[in-house]
DNA sequence: TTATCTAACGTTATATCATAACAGTCAAGG
DNA sequence: CCTTGACTGTTATGATATAACGTTAGATAA
């Protein structure tokens, strides 16, 4: 199984368009320098791959591309770069899909929720402000000290719903 | 790795105590009969195993127990029973842990959030009413037709926080 | 400059999680 | 009785993820 959505010229959900890629990469590099993190060639390329992808990519999807470009060909190469990006807040892991996606709002300290379309496999990062607040509240009520959360919704995006009518 | 929390006589979080197991099983059976679903021996036993476990169990943890008791010894045996229970609303899948847990409130049409303790591996099912409402709202704002959602929080439960002080 | 140190890379090997496909079993209904 | 369909169990394989270790390359100190 590949997790990559079809690049058929039609794009369901709003995502980081190619036009933004360069800007986000530059911002990522600036941010990395500032924090002492090293955005190495593999890591940079993985971020680029995620930014250019429609939908989320599995680690092995990423690995395949890396391998074809002369980077290492074994799973740890992809997983290490992906985990680095997640740690840096430059990417998110979508557990429901066993996949990764570039962060749409890097640099901002935000909690995200993901809207996963079952029709076109697109993954949209939604603002989870209110959801997060409610979850904080629920955790507090249970006496639970919340560190971080995964919020993933599955359904159909607006474009696909329109198309289905 | 095993996903089962230690059964050390100390239990961090409130969970389905042994006293409730019989009652929940009976309710599950009644419900199954009502809907035409068949709570067969394997399925019933898997539910029982989940109910008695502290924390969530991986499919292979469950399989090991089944196998030791004379049921089938191959992965599909566990996965089929677990998926049945999830479909029936008798169990939940915790994606973050690649594990399953018995539903604390079977029969009620509820949306659940899970509070996962990193110290003791306990998994508590919290009421996700408000969280769910906020998520519905966020989805609506994005024009997304929400079918179902995964809400999983990671942190430290109250008992472990107390113990750590 | 050169020696040294460390983070990152790439590899081999293996662990862990999950499902496809098919054969045998058994209870319910014709 | 016989068919039917749901369930169980099996073999086999696929998909996801990490441990461990040697090598490389960039930074730092001498």
């Amino acid at each position: 199984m590949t997790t990559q959505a079809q690049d058929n010229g039609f794009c369901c959900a709003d995502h980081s368009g190619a036009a933004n890629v360069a800007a986000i990469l530059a911002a990522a590099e600036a941010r990395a320098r500032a924090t002492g993190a090293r955005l190495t060639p593999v890591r940079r390329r993985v971020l680029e791959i995620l930014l250019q992808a429609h939908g989320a990519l599995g680690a092995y999807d990423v690995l395949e591309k890396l391998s074809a470009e002369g980077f290492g060909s074994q799973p740890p190469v992809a997983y290490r770069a992906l985990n680095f990006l997640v740690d840096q807040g430059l990417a998110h892991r979508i557990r429901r899909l066993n996949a990764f996606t570039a962060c749409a709002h890097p640099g901002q300290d935000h909690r995200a929720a993901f809207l996963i379309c079952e029709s076109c496999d697109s993954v949209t990062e939604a603002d989870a402000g209110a959801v997060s607040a409610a979850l904080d509240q629920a955790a507090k009520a249970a006496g639970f000290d919340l560190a971080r959360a995964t919020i993933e919704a599955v359904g159909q995006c607006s474009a696909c719903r329109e198309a289905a009518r």
Side-chain angles (χ1 to χ4, degrees), chain A residues 31-120:
Chain A
R31 186 147 176 275
R33 257 194 305 278
T35 63
R38 289 170 53 193
L39 193 60
T40 62
V42 214
R43 291 168 174 176
R44 188 194 149 95
R45 183 65 189 122
V46 170
L47 177 54
E48 209 168 37
I49 289 169
L50 291 181
L51 283 167
Q52 290 169 344
H54 296 209
L57 295 183
Y60 283 74
D61 294 328
V62 171
L63 179 59
E64 199 176 339
K65 290 175 190 281
L66 289 178
S67 179
E69 295 173 14
F71 291 101
S73 61
Q74 300 305 315
V77 172
Y79 282 102
R80 279 195 293 240
L82 289 165
N83 287 330
F84 169 86
L85 295 174
V86 170
D87 288 345
Q88 298 295 312
L90 296 169
H92 296 284
R93 185 172 200 151
I94 311 294
R95 305 210 85 107
R96 179 146 217 134
L97 302 176
N98 291 325
F100 300 81
T101 188
C103 177
H105 313 289
Q108 300 167 39
D109 181 23
H110 64 294
R111 300 229 198 131
F114 298 93
L115 306 177
I116 304 167
C117 179
E118 288 181 309
S119 300
C120 70

Side-chain angles (χ1 to χ4, degrees), chain A residues 43 79 102 104 136 151 157 159:
Chain A
R43 291 168 174 176
Y79 282 102
D136 281 340
I151 301 168
C157 71

Side-chain angles (χ1 to χ4, degrees), chain A residues 6-12 54:
Chain A
Q6 294 293 312
D7 186 0
N8 50 15
F10 167 73
C11 180
C12 268
H54 296 209

Side-chain angles (χ1 to χ4, degrees), chain A residues 6-30:
Chain A
Q6 294 293 312
D7 186 0
N8 50 15
F10 167 73
C11 180
C12 268
D14 199 8
H15 65 92
S16 317
N20 301 329
V21 173
I24 293 184
L25 274 174
E29 256 169 41

